Amino acid sequence: RSKDSGSFGKALNRFVREDPTFRVGVDPESKETIISGMGELHLQIYIERMKREYGVETVVGQPRVNYRETIRSQGKFDYLHKKQSGGSGQYGRVIGYVEQL
C-alpha cells in the first residue's frame, strides 16, 4: 500500500503540473482525495492513465457528503409508557423539551 500511495501522489502531482484544469484536494472530514476537472470523461482519462502508467488501482465514485442536522426551534415531548403483561406491569412518563444551545 505504501508503494501505491507514493505512486498515487506522484501521478496526481504530475497531472496537476500538466493540466491547469485538473485539481486535487483532500476532504478534511472524510479524508477522501477529491479530483475535479472539465467533466467525467476528462477525469476517466486521468484515472486510466494512473492505472496504465503508474500501476495504481483507484476506487472511483461520488464524494461522500457529511449530513448535519440542527435544531431550529424548541420541540416539546410528552411520552407515556404502559406495558401490562400479567403481574404489576410497567409505567413511565417522560416530559421535556429540546432547544438550540
Side-chain angles (χ1 to χ4, degrees):
R1 282 227 168 243
S2 62
K3 180 184 172 197
D4 281 353
S5 65
S7 297
F8 182 71
K10 285 179 187 177
L12 291 178
N13 285 332
R14 177 178 167 200
F15 298 156
V16 167
R17 281 194 317 265
E18 289 176 357
D19 185 356
T21 63
F22 183 78
R23 292 182 303 278
V24 178
V26 176
D27 183 21
E29 293 178 1
S30 67
K31 308 292 188 245
E32 289 181 324
T33 301
I34 309 291
I35 60 173
S36 59
M38 298 292 288
E40 195 169 335
L41 179 62
H42 184 231
L43 299 177
Q44 283 296 332
I45 290 168
Y46 280 112
I47 291 165
E48 286 300 317
R49 282 185 63 192
M50 265 193 265
K51 185 176 179 181
R52 187 178 64 246
E53 296 174 20
Y54 291 90
V56 176
E57 293 290 332
T58 57
V59 177
V60 181
Q62 296 292 323
R64 280 188 268 154
V65 177
N66 295 323
Y67 294 100
R68 294 190 181 97
E69 293 183 14
T70 185
I71 299 169
R72 301 245 178 214
S73 61
Q74 186 181 72
K76 295 182 180 184
F77 56 88
D78 183 355
Y79 179 74
L80 179 64
H81 172 79
K82 286 191 216 177
K83 185 170 184 184
Q84 192 76 32
S85 59
S88 61
Q90 298 175 351
Y91 175 83
R93 185 173 197 154
V94 180
I95 303 171
Y97 64 92
V98 178
E99 65 183 0
Q100 191 175 17
L101 295 176

